[in-house]
């Protein structure tokens, strides 16, 4: 009985102390407030503004100089960051750079070793003055030979045959249109898969850069677009063909660009000269697109692309991105995350969707050969107040993680410290075990002292009677 009474007194005393004593503050060694993720906000509507867009710090590199093209883009092919641009979403005829989208769409569907015998109907409908590689009906070709004809000679005859193998001309145009939307290329309208001028067929420097970046992810695409020379079969013999991308071959007085991977050039009287070029320097790969230079002759497109590549390699890491390639990824991510606001003082706001119509009339078909840039008026620009088709920050790809709510980030992330507000709110939370033991000992000592005092008081009174 005495022991049980002592235990009860000790428990009562300890409970009283626990309720009175405040919980000690969490120490820095065990609990810390997590650092918020660094948010990098880029206004996706910025690339819809007219004029040159570049964001360099004070004393940083100036915007690219001496570029006469109606529209151009410089982007990092790995991250998708757009380093600088001019009229990036202006809709213009693309000429044979549209063959890049054709390859991105059709290449993965085909066995490169397959052999195909060409029929007469497959070569029907080729536009007057088209560039040709020399495909002939009744001859048998490997698919890889036909792709060499597409990339090196910009052969519209090779495109016709490959399109026939992929469901036909109209089906191929639909497939390309679907692929463009999948990539987030909302300025592009496909009418003729080979890029031949047709009314309403347009693209933009932004979309062309998207197609080039997508192609670089396919080893077969890279192999074809970087090939300078190849043999093209013609029955029992073959003849040599060379890539018409002069930055790659160094022909006609145009110096080869160091580290150039390739991609695709084009020309029609309606589009002028167009070019998508990709180059690697060290660990960085850039992709540029140039549409319709207004001065400098037929080879100006190569020199202006050279200037943009040089600027991009020097400015990378020094300038802040003004946009991002790959809005389809950003749009999907935005659906699954809470809305975030730009950093205080940024002066930028997220953009919305574009309501501009893709239908813009282009000039009629013309020869697919290098020539002087046309001076005719270009297709109208997408609405001045237009917004991009998809939002999302450029830094979402490989830079900083998507933001998550505070409670999920703090409580569900393995190995992460949590703030005191997220800890259980019990009054004994964090109380050292030694203090609990001391409290129990103090209560037991108090009980023993009271028993002894009571015993001494009772003995004196009895002896006095």
């Amino acid at each position: 009985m005495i022991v049980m009474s002592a235990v009860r007194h000790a428990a009562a005393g300890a409970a009283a102390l626990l309720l009175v004593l405040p919980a000690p503050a969490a120490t820095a060694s065990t609990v810390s407030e997590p650092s918020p993720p660094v948010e990098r906000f880029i206004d996706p509507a910025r690339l819809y503004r007219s004029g040159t867009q570049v964001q360099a710090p004070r004393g940083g590199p100036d915007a690219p100089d001496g570029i006469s093209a109606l529209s151009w883009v410089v982007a990092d092919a790995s991250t998708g960051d757009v380093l600088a641009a001019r009229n990036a979403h202006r809709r213009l005829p693309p000429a044979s750079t549209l063959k890049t989208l054709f390859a991105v769409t059709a290449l993965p569907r085909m066995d490169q070793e397959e052999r195909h015998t060409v029929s007469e109907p497959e070569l029907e409908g080729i536009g007057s003055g088209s560039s040709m590689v020399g495909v002939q009906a009744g001859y048998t070709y490997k698919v890889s030979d036909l792709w060499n004809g597409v990339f090196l000679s910009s052969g519209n005859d090779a495109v016709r045959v490959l399109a026939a193998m992929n469901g036909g001309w109209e089906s191929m145009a639909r497939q390309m249109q679907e692929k463009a939307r999948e990539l987030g290329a909302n300025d592009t309208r496909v009418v003729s898969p080979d890029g031949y001028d047709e009314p309403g067929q347009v693209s933009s420097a932004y979309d062309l850069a998207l197609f080039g970046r997508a192609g670089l992810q396919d080893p077969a695409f890279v192999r074809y677009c970087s090939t300078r020379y190849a043999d093209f079969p013609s029955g029992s013999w073959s003849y040599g063909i060379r890539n018409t991308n002069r930055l790659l071959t160094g022909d006609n007085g145009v110096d080869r660009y160091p580290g150039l991977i390739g991609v695709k050039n084009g020309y029609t009287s309606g589009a002028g000269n167009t070019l998508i070029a990709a180059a690697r320097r060290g660990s960085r790969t850039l992709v540029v697109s140039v549409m319709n230079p207004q001065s400098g002759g037929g080879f100006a497109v190569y020199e202006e692309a050279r200037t943009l590549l040089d600027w991009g390699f020097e400015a990378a890491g020094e300038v802040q991105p003004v946009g991002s390639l790959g809005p389809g990824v950003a749009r999907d991510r935005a659906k699954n995350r809470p809305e975030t606001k730009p950093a205080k003082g940024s002066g930028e706001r997220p953009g919305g969707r574009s309501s501009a119509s893709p239908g813009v009339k282009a000039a009629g078909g013309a020869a697919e050969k290098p020539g002087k840039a046309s001076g005719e008026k270009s297709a109208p620009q997408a609405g001045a107040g237009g917004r991009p088709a998809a939002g999302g920050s450029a830094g979402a790809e490989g830079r900083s993680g998507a933001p998550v709510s505070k409670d999920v980030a703090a409580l569900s992330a393995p190995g992460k410290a949590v703030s005191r507000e997220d800890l259980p709110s019990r009054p004994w939370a964090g109380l050292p075990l030694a203090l609990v033991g001391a409290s129990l000992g103090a209560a037991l000592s108090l009980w023993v002292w009271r028993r002894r005092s009571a015993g001494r008081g009772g003995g004196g009174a009895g002896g006095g009677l």
Side-chain angles (χ1 to χ4, degrees):
M1 293 294 293
I2 293 176
V3 173
M4 292 301 295
S5 178
V7 171
R8 286 196 297 270
H9 279 77
L17 287 172
L18 290 175
L19 292 173
V20 172
L21 291 175
T27 62
S29 61
T30 58
V31 178
S32 62
E33 185 73 23
S35 300
V38 178
E39 280 295 313
R40 188 185 64 155
F41 177 78
I42 299 173
D43 183 0
R46 182 166 185 163
L47 291 180
Y48 279 80
R49 301 171 190 166
S50 61
T52 300
Q53 303 298 321
V54 64
Q55 188 168 284
R58 182 175 298 179
D62 295 328
D65 190 29
I67 308 299
S68 69
L70 295 178
S71 178
W72 53 263
V73 163
V74 183
D76 188 305
S78 299
T79 65
D81 289 342
V82 176
L83 306 181
R86 178 176 178 81
N87 302 329
H89 287 284
R90 182 171 181 173
R91 293 169 176 175
L92 298 166
S96 280
T97 50
L98 194 64
K99 289 183 172 77
T100 303
L101 175 59
F102 172 71
V104 168
T105 305
L107 251 178
R109 303 168 182 241
M110 308 192 75
D111 178 1
Q112 304 303 296
E113 297 302 313
E114 179 184 350
R115 294 182 175 274
H116 176 75
T117 301
V118 178
S119 64
E120 288 282 358
E122 292 173 341
L123 295 175
E124 293 176 356
I126 298 175
S128 174
S130 289
S131 54
M132 311 273 274
V133 68
V135 177
Q136 298 184 50
Y139 284 31
T140 300
Y141 300 88
K142 287 175 61 175
V143 166
S144 59
D145 292 327
L146 295 172
W147 280 112
N148 278 333
V150 171
F151 277 93
L152 278 67
S153 298
S154 201
N156 287 5
D157 48 354
V159 174
R160 285 274 170 175
V161 175
L162 290 168
M165 298 174 66
N166 275 276
W169 196 245
E170 293 183 358
S171 173
M172 193 70 246
R174 288 193 298 270
Q175 294 173 43
M176 290 170 64
Q177 192 69 68
E178 291 170 2
K179 187 65 176 180
R181 295 297 176 262
E182 177 186 324
L183 293 172
N186 298 308
D187 301 319
T188 298
R189 183 183 176 195
V190 181
V191 179
S192 184
D194 54 8
Y196 191 83
D197 282 343
E198 293 287 354
Q201 179 155 279
V202 290
S203 190
S204 68
Y206 179 89
D207 287 7
L208 295 184
L210 269 177
F211 303 153
R213 185 189 183 210
L216 293 176
Q217 300 175 35
D218 183 347
F221 182 103
V222 173
R223 182 172 67 254
Y224 290 119
C225 80
S226 61
T227 298
R228 288 181 286 172
Y229 311 100
D231 290 328
F232 192 80
S234 181
S236 59
W237 64 291
S238 62
Y239 52 89
I241 58 176
R242 62 195 299 122
N243 203 310
T244 57
N245 183 348
R246 285 149 178 84
L247 277 185
L248 185 66
T249 61
D251 291 340
N252 300 99
V254 177
D255 293 335
R256 289 180 59 190
Y257 191 85
L260 193 80
I261 299 170
V263 186
K264 191 71 188 73
N265 57 305
Y267 172 79
T268 65
S269 61
N273 289 282
T274 60
L275 177 67
I276 307 170
R280 183 180 296 109
R281 185 177 296 178
S283 60
R284 190 180 301 279
T285 300
L286 297 182
V287 59
V288 305
S289 55
V290 183
M291 301 188 77
N292 202 347
Q294 298 296 288
S295 64
F299 297 148
V301 69
Y302 300 110
E303 299 307 328
E304 295 193 5
R306 183 193 309 277
T307 298
L308 293 176
L309 286 168
D310 285 344
W311 179 89
F313 283 119
E314 293 174 5
E318 299 294 328
V319 298
Q320 293 297 315
V322 294
S324 176
L325 303 178
V329 176
R331 178 172 61 246
D332 293 340
R333 177 170 291 175
K335 291 179 181 178
N336 300 313
R337 70 181 184 188
E339 182 180 356
T340 56
K341 296 181 179 180
K344 187 176 182 180
S346 68
E348 297 180 321
R349 293 181 297 175
R353 290 184 176 272
S354 170
S355 58
S357 170
V360 181
K361 186 169 289 187
E368 188 87 14
K369 299 177 183 177
K372 193 169 185 178
S374 168
E376 66 189 62
K377 292 184 179 180
S378 61
Q381 188 174 351
R387 294 281 188 173
S393 73
E397 303 309 312
R399 292 271 183 167
S400 61
V404 295
S405 59
K406 177 183 176 182
D407 55 341
V408 174
L411 297 177
S412 65
K416 298 291 184 182
V418 296
S419 64
R420 184 173 177 181
E421 288 78 10
D422 296 318
L423 292 172
S425 58
R426 295 186 297 270
W428 56 85
L431 198 63
L433 186 59
L435 183 58
V436 176
S439 300
L440 290 173
L444 183 60
S445 298
L446 178 63
W447 179 82
V448 171
W449 177 79
R450 289 177 61 188
R451 294 288 297 177
R452 288 178 177 176
S453 298
R456 285 196 300 271
L465 285 174

